[in-house]
Amino acid sequence: MFWVKNLCLILTGILILESHACAQKPAAPPVSVILDTDMDSDVDDVGALAMLHAYEKRNMARILGIIVTSDEKYSAGCTDAINRWFGRKDIPIGVSQKDSLRTFSRYTRQISERFPTRFTTNADAEDGTALYRKLLAAQPDTSVVIITIGHLTSLARLMTSGPDTISPLNGADLVKRKVKRWSCMGGQFPAGKEANFYRPDPASTIICLAKWELPVTFAGWEAGNQIVTGGPAFKSQSNPNSPTYHAYDLYNGFAGRASWDQLSVLEAIEGTDPYFDLRKDGQCKVAPDGSNQWISLPNGLHGYLSIRSSVATIRERINMLMLGTRNP
Ligand SMILES: [Ca+2]
């Protein structure tokens, strides 16, 4: 029975090796996320939100709440409709603006009318600053990742908010206590002028960068601009009944769109490997007009992404995550 004994030894060895390999790579806990989005003119916000839901289903992310930084009348309703389609009708949504609302999106009204939603207009949603503070106050220290994929009006309001009944801490201190890091779609690197930084509120960009004392990763315009998703390949695999499908159809008939916002979500949840290199040899400086440049004065906190793996690898990863699946 010599061979039986040897076989047992080999099998035991394999089991030990496998258990050792598993022990070396424990599953990372889900990333607790607050998403701050301008769900209005561009459609990449829809793709980014669909990705977050896909990560949540894989137990890689936990969506704590969403801040809608927009004056578009149906942006909160559209966001809620997407959440509901993915089975998360409970996600709290706060808005930056409830009056002087405009209608200029190619898809928000249609999505909020076609799919169930809590909000007839943004005026029905709660205040974004109060929600930011509530969400943070309820979380463990140093646990929250903030992802901004729009302009920084709401984040600046949080950072400059004072103590209240929600928390005795002012906004900057509350962030410092509860937030782990910030993933920001914004800026152009090494220098340029990008919409989230300069339009419509460059003053808020300056406030956020001046007050931020934690790690922040910028996904600049030049990185996301290389990754076109939501095109014919996405259409052929996507559920035609999903809000993601309809938004990309309404936006440009699946001609495809750059993935500026999706890059920030990808990095926030999966990290840089294997997709990106992270430049940390300087810091991002913003001028009063919202233009920015990378200056050679490292502060140990700022970093910006550049594409490391192929454009095709990142495109396919994002398209796959954007497909998502519905939860009843
Ligand atoms: Ca956006």
Side-chain angles (χ1 to χ4, degrees), residues 38 44-45 149-150 196 261:
D38 59 339
D44 54 338
D45 296 82
I149 54 174
N196 283 352
D261 291 351

PDB file of all heavy atoms in Angstrom, residues 38 44-45 149-150 196 261, ligand 1:
ATOM      1  N   ASP A  38     -22.898  64.382 -10.067  1.00  0.00           N
ATOM      2  CA  ASP A  38     -23.723  65.326 -10.812  1.00  0.00           C
ATOM      3  C   ASP A  38     -24.454  64.540 -11.908  1.00  0.00           C
ATOM      4  O   ASP A  38     -24.090  64.567 -13.077  1.00  0.00           O
ATOM      5  CB  ASP A  38     -22.904  66.481 -11.408  1.00  0.00           C
ATOM      6  CG  ASP A  38     -21.821  66.000 -12.347  1.00  0.00           C
ATOM      7  OD1 ASP A  38     -21.431  64.803 -12.253  1.00  0.00           O
ATOM      8  OD2 ASP A  38     -21.359  66.784 -13.201  1.00  0.00           O
ATOM      9  N   ASP A  44     -21.749  59.326 -17.951  1.00  0.00           N
ATOM     10  CA  ASP A  44     -20.802  58.440 -17.247  1.00  0.00           C
ATOM     11  C   ASP A  44     -21.157  58.267 -15.770  1.00  0.00           C
ATOM     12  O   ASP A  44     -20.764  57.283 -15.147  1.00  0.00           O
ATOM     13  CB  ASP A  44     -19.346  58.905 -17.424  1.00  0.00           C
ATOM     14  CG  ASP A  44     -19.115  60.348 -17.030  1.00  0.00           C
ATOM     15  OD1 ASP A  44     -20.083  61.137 -17.014  1.00  0.00           O
ATOM     16  OD2 ASP A  44     -17.952  60.705 -16.751  1.00  0.00           O
ATOM     17  N   ASP A  45     -21.931  59.207 -15.210  1.00  0.00           N
ATOM     18  CA  ASP A  45     -22.413  59.033 -13.831  1.00  0.00           C
ATOM     19  C   ASP A  45     -23.304  57.796 -13.705  1.00  0.00           C
ATOM     20  O   ASP A  45     -23.281  57.103 -12.680  1.00  0.00           O
ATOM     21  CB  ASP A  45     -23.195  60.268 -13.368  1.00  0.00           C
ATOM     22  CG  ASP A  45     -22.322  61.509 -13.307  1.00  0.00           C
ATOM     23  OD1 ASP A  45     -22.121  62.138 -14.368  1.00  0.00           O
ATOM     24  OD2 ASP A  45     -21.838  61.838 -12.208  1.00  0.00           O
ATOM     25  N   ILE A 149     -17.780  62.462  -8.328  1.00  0.00           N
ATOM     26  CA  ILE A 149     -17.732  62.370  -9.791  1.00  0.00           C
ATOM     27  C   ILE A 149     -18.494  63.540 -10.418  1.00  0.00           C
ATOM     28  O   ILE A 149     -19.019  63.426 -11.519  1.00  0.00           O
ATOM     29  CB  ILE A 149     -18.269  61.008 -10.282  1.00  0.00           C
ATOM     30  CG1 ILE A 149     -19.670  60.712  -9.730  1.00  0.00           C
ATOM     31  CG2 ILE A 149     -17.314  59.884  -9.890  1.00  0.00           C
ATOM     32  CD1 ILE A 149     -20.305  59.440 -10.309  1.00  0.00           C
ATOM     33  N   GLY A 150     -18.528  64.635  -9.677  1.00  0.00           N
ATOM     34  CA  GLY A 150     -19.129  65.863 -10.185  1.00  0.00           C
ATOM     35  C   GLY A 150     -18.376  67.035  -9.591  1.00  0.00           C
ATOM     36  O   GLY A 150     -17.278  66.870  -9.040  1.00  0.00           O
ATOM     37  N   ASN A 196     -15.228  69.514 -13.768  1.00  0.00           N
ATOM     38  CA  ASN A 196     -15.604  69.332 -12.356  1.00  0.00           C
ATOM     39  C   ASN A 196     -14.896  70.332 -11.452  1.00  0.00           C
ATOM     40  O   ASN A 196     -15.411  70.694 -10.398  1.00  0.00           O
ATOM     41  CB  ASN A 196     -15.286  67.914 -11.880  1.00  0.00           C
ATOM     42  CG  ASN A 196     -16.313  66.903 -12.369  1.00  0.00           C
ATOM     43  OD1 ASN A 196     -17.344  67.280 -12.933  1.00  0.00           O
ATOM     44  ND2 ASN A 196     -16.018  65.630 -12.170  1.00  0.00           N
ATOM     45  N   ASP A 261     -15.904  59.124 -14.970  1.00  0.00           N
ATOM     46  CA  ASP A 261     -16.409  58.830 -13.620  1.00  0.00           C
ATOM     47  C   ASP A 261     -16.144  57.381 -13.208  1.00  0.00           C
ATOM     48  O   ASP A 261     -15.866  57.101 -12.032  1.00  0.00           O
ATOM     49  CB  ASP A 261     -17.915  59.112 -13.543  1.00  0.00           C
ATOM     50  CG  ASP A 261     -18.218  60.590 -13.645  1.00  0.00           C
ATOM     51  OD1 ASP A 261     -17.264  61.395 -13.607  1.00  0.00           O
ATOM     52  OD2 ASP A 261     -19.407  60.940 -13.776  1.00  0.00           O
TER      53      ASP A 261
HETATM   54 CA    CA B   1     -20.116  63.276 -13.420  1.00  0.00          CA
END
